[in-house]
Amino acid sequence: MTPAVSDSDLDAVSSLQVTGAGPARGSLRVPGDKSISHRAVLMAAMAHSPTVITGLSRGQDVTHTLGAVQQFGVTVAYADEGRVRVEGPIRHEPVDVLDHGNAGTGIRLMSGVCAGIDGVSVLTGDQFLRRRPMDRVAEPLRRMGAAVDGREHGRLAPLVIRGGGLTGITYSPRQASAQVKSALLLAGLSATGPTTVEEVHPTRRHTEEMLAQFGGRVRVDGNRVTVEPGELTGTDIAVPGDPSQAAFWAVGALLAPEQGEVVVENLYPGFGRSDFVGVLRRMGAAIDFDLTTGTLVVRSSRLRAVDLTAEDIPGIVDEVPVLAMAAAVAEGTTVISGAGELRAKESDRIASTTRLLRAFGVQVTETEDGMVIEGGARLRPARVDSHGDHRIAMTAAVAAACVDGTTVIDGWDSVATSYPGFAADLVRLTGASAQPGA
Ligand code: S3P
């Protein structure tokens, strides 16, 4: 007899085998928002009085940020009901290397924090993170006065930052990137004079919103955000559910023409995170997102193709893989363009999404900055690789749950970076069976 595998064991398996049963049905809460969680930990560590955080993401990405702030002497204590108490402030350089694991948000935001500290910090991460571009934060932080070095002239981690003595700047990042914006705003807290970031396309505003919660002086004026130097004051933070994780269940309900129905409660309702709802509505989905309660409701619908362009991408930057899977079963041809930034994510998401869809039997053409997806596919079981990318693995899993037969997802353990317990939720909501793959 095969020994029983517990739900939490399925988070750690390198391959997950999923035998499909049907679309997602049921209600759930998803983990605390990853973007908000990173910011809560970093600002709590910088603040001059303690902060208590509830609902913090338990994913490995945020766990790495918690580990990193402790290198500065910040204390982290786990209280009851999942509350985390963080007491700083950061006063000195870290005692050891800051390891951010797979977390692009963690390392980029922490670069901004380190630039403001008088001393030397070394930041690194796993094999995937060490391939991701860091010059987008290194270059403006140098302009503010930090010395930033690393492999390939500071383009790649490990990065060495000698911080302190910063001067505020006005900067327009080439990419629409909340990570770059946030790194500069966090550095700006210890600069002389204001720091202003002007965005090409507006991106998620968690840093702006949370700086205000921590008593920071921040002004938003259209696409311009300015922070004044100053100290932060600890506060209580309640982290809402992560809309990007809810997107998997929305599509998980929509991949079948009937019987799918999902309710996700307590999601972050603010700017720049739920544009996937509008995209799915444009595709014909019966979907509703209540901005006062943060409740998402979605029901099986006949989907049609959609055109997604550069204007759409910043608001769905993390949802493109799963939206591409929805496009695969929609009627008509979906064209995604202006999405070149996806090549710099946890994997090259244009290439990894194309490979994923093809493995499930979808006709798809990769372009330089997007893909063309022929809809109306009848998905077939597949063997796929996450390429170390949690969002590719979770997209594969919701598709696998709707397919007759057995799919194997290699690189499943990447899901633990953001969504421990995903396999257990998959089994509960879809009736699929999941076990370690061979
Ligand atoms: C994030 C910003 C986005 C997103 C990432 C989280 C953030 O990255 O893809 O998952 O928390 O600021 P970019 O800023 O590089 O687009």
Side-chain angles (χ1 to χ4, degrees):
M1 214 174 98
T2 325
V5 177
S6 84
D7 291 347
S8 58
D9 290 341
L10 289 178
D11 290 337
V13 298
S14 56
S15 289
L16 187 75
Q17 187 173 309
V18 178
T19 303
R25 273 184 78 74
S27 60
L28 79 161
R29 288 188 174 217
V30 291
D33 188 89
K34 182 158 74 72
S35 292
I36 297 176
S37 293
H38 282 298
R39 288 158 172 85
V41 172
L42 289 173
M43 289 188 210
M46 297 172 90
H48 284 255
S49 50
T51 290
V52 175
I53 309 169
T54 46
L56 194 70
S57 163
R58 290 183 301 108
Q60 289 165 355
D61 278 11
V62 174
T63 305
H64 276 102
T65 300
L66 282 167
V69 298
Q70 290 174 78
Q71 301 286 356
F72 296 91
V74 170
T75 59
V76 172
Y78 295 86
D80 52 345
E81 290 161 18
R83 283 182 304 160
V84 181
R85 185 178 188 277
V86 179
E87 183 165 8
I90 290 174
R91 287 195 200 281
H92 53 73
E93 62 190 6
V95 294
D96 203 349
V97 172
L98 306 174
D99 178 5
H100 287 281
N102 190 249
T105 305
I107 197 169
R108 297 208 177 101
L109 269 57
M110 183 61 100
S111 299
V113 175
C114 293
I117 296 166
D118 201 3
V120 174
S121 306
V122 181
L123 301 87
T124 192
D126 69 10
Q127 53 164 326
F128 302 103
L129 188 61
R130 293 196 306 271
R131 289 205 292 261
R132 296 180 64 186
M134 292 300 296
D135 45 348
R136 53 185 59 198
V137 287
E139 204 234 348
L141 292 175
R142 284 188 197 113
R143 283 205 209 175
M144 293 178 80
V148 185
D149 204 355
R151 290 185 303 124
E152 293 193 14
H153 310 288
R155 279 199 292 275
L156 300 175
L159 282 188
V160 183
I161 301 179
R162 181 174 283 283
L166 303 184
T167 309
I169 57 169
T170 295
Y171 189 73
S172 308
R174 268 188 297 281
Q175 316 79 6
S177 168
Q179 293 178 356
V180 175
K181 169 176 68 176
S182 303
L184 301 191
L185 295 178
L186 292 175
L189 287 172
S190 55
T192 50
T195 297
T196 299
V197 181
E198 293 173 339
E199 296 194 276
V200 261
H201 291 290
T203 61
R204 61 192 74 193
R205 295 192 180 133
H206 303 306
T207 303
E208 297 86 314
E209 290 166 1
M210 202 173 286
L211 277 170
Q213 279 179 278
F214 276 89
R217 289 181 298 156
V218 60
R219 278 193 317 278
V220 179
D221 181 11
N223 286 6
R224 270 171 79 91
V225 50
T226 301
V227 70
E228 301 287 340
E231 289 188 348
L232 300 182
T233 307
T235 183
D236 287 352
I237 299 285
V239 181
D242 194 322
S244 301
Q245 310 291 31
F248 295 105
W249 303 118
V251 173
L254 289 165
L255 284 176
E258 45 201 34
Q259 292 185 352
E261 177 159 1
V262 163
V263 178
V264 193
E265 290 170 347
N266 190 41
L267 297 172
Y268 171 75
F271 177 81
R273 293 300 305 285
S274 42
D275 292 14
F276 72 91
V277 173
V279 170
L280 288 171
R281 200 173 286 134
R282 273 156 70 190
M283 295 176 76
I287 188 165
D288 183 53
F289 186 37
D290 185 329
L291 295 177
T292 48
T293 59
T295 301
L296 178 77
V297 181
V298 53
R299 273 183 216 97
S300 278
S301 319
R302 291 183 75 83
L303 299 180
R304 53 180 178 265
V306 66
D307 276 349
L308 298 174
T309 61
E311 293 284 304
D312 297 301
I313 302 302
I316 53 167
V317 69
D318 292 332
E319 287 74 65
V320 172
V322 80
L323 291 171
M325 190 58 84
V329 302
E331 199 184 312
T333 304
T334 288
V335 180
I336 302 175
S337 60
E341 262 300 293
L342 266 72
R343 294 201 184 273
K345 295 295 175 190
E346 284 84 330
S347 65
D348 171 345
R349 277 193 188 147
I350 294 181
S352 51
T353 303
T354 302
R355 276 197 287 267
L356 179 72
L357 295 188
R358 279 199 191 126
F360 277 101
V362 182
Q363 276 188 44
V364 50
T365 310
E366 179 176 341
T367 62
E368 201 176 285
D369 65 348
M371 56 198 107
V372 179
I373 302 160
E374 300 302 333
R378 200 180 142 75
L379 303 180
R380 60 172 190 231
R383 178 150 203 154
V384 297
D385 193 327
S386 76
H387 301 279
D389 187 336
H390 56 139
R391 299 199 198 280
I392 298 297
M394 289 186 279
T395 300
V398 292
C402 282
V403 172
D404 272 342
T406 298
T407 291
V408 178
I409 306 164
D410 294 320
W412 178 256
D413 42 354
S414 58
V415 171
T417 60
S418 70
Y419 198 152
F422 185 91
D425 281 349
L426 185 80
V427 168
R428 185 170 69 78
L429 291 173
T430 67
S433 73
Q435 59 187 81

